[in-house]
Amino acid sequence: MTDAEIQDFVTRFAAAWAARDGKAFLDLWHPEGLLHTPLVDRAVSGSELDRLMEVQKAAAPDFVWQLLDWTSRGDVVIIEWQTTRVINGARFDWRGVDKFRIQDGKIIEERVYSDTAPLRAFRKGETLEPITKF
């Protein structure tokens, strides 16, 4: 990928999150792409991302995603992010990193790295159950 193509990808990815637009996510994904995230109990097909975004919006309507930094090498793009939401009346921020493998300008694989322990502790005894249906 050229520098311009990588910058375009990062810009479109951040815009999809800012709008929480499932269709915009679908445009970024290769038909055979897979998402691996600690918040879902299985690999998610790229074609399922619009539905996953609907479930996330319903569960956390105040959720905000922010791009912090990014880098790339070859067909790998790394994006550092921060998310924010209000839980039990208090603002809660946490950070993570997404590692993408890009094929033909589309995401063929995404791995999300995020510490979910603080979220579990903050929820005061609630468990953070993986999303199983969407």
Side-chain angles (χ1 to χ4, degrees), residues 39-109:
L39 298 179
V40 179
D41 69 347
R42 64 176 174 83
V44 177
S45 156
S47 65
E48 297 177 288
L49 290 178
D50 59 339
R51 179 67 185 124
L52 179 58
M53 183 56 63
E54 289 175 22
V55 169
Q56 288 179 336
K57 284 194 304 192
D62 62 329
F63 184 90
V64 176
W65 184 95
Q66 295 174 278
L67 172 69
L68 298 177
D69 201 1
W70 64 273
T71 190
S72 67
R73 183 184 69 219
D75 67 347
V76 174
V77 177
I78 308 286
I79 293 179
E80 179 187 11
W81 48 265
Q82 175 176 296
T83 57
T84 303
R85 70 177 292 218
V86 176
I87 301 173
N88 298 328
R91 179 181 162 142
F92 186 65
D93 302 314
W94 69 99
R95 291 183 176 201
V97 173
D98 290 6
K99 178 182 177 186
F100 302 92
R101 278 191 321 107
I102 308 296
Q103 179 179 313
D104 301 324
K106 305 269 185 176
I107 302 166
I108 191 70
E109 181 181 39

Side-chain angles (χ1 to χ4, degrees), residues 22-39:
K23 301 293 185 220
F25 279 109
L26 288 177
D27 291 342
L28 295 167
W29 279 81
H30 189 282
E32 297 174 19
L34 289 176
L35 165 66
H36 306 275
T37 174
L39 298 179

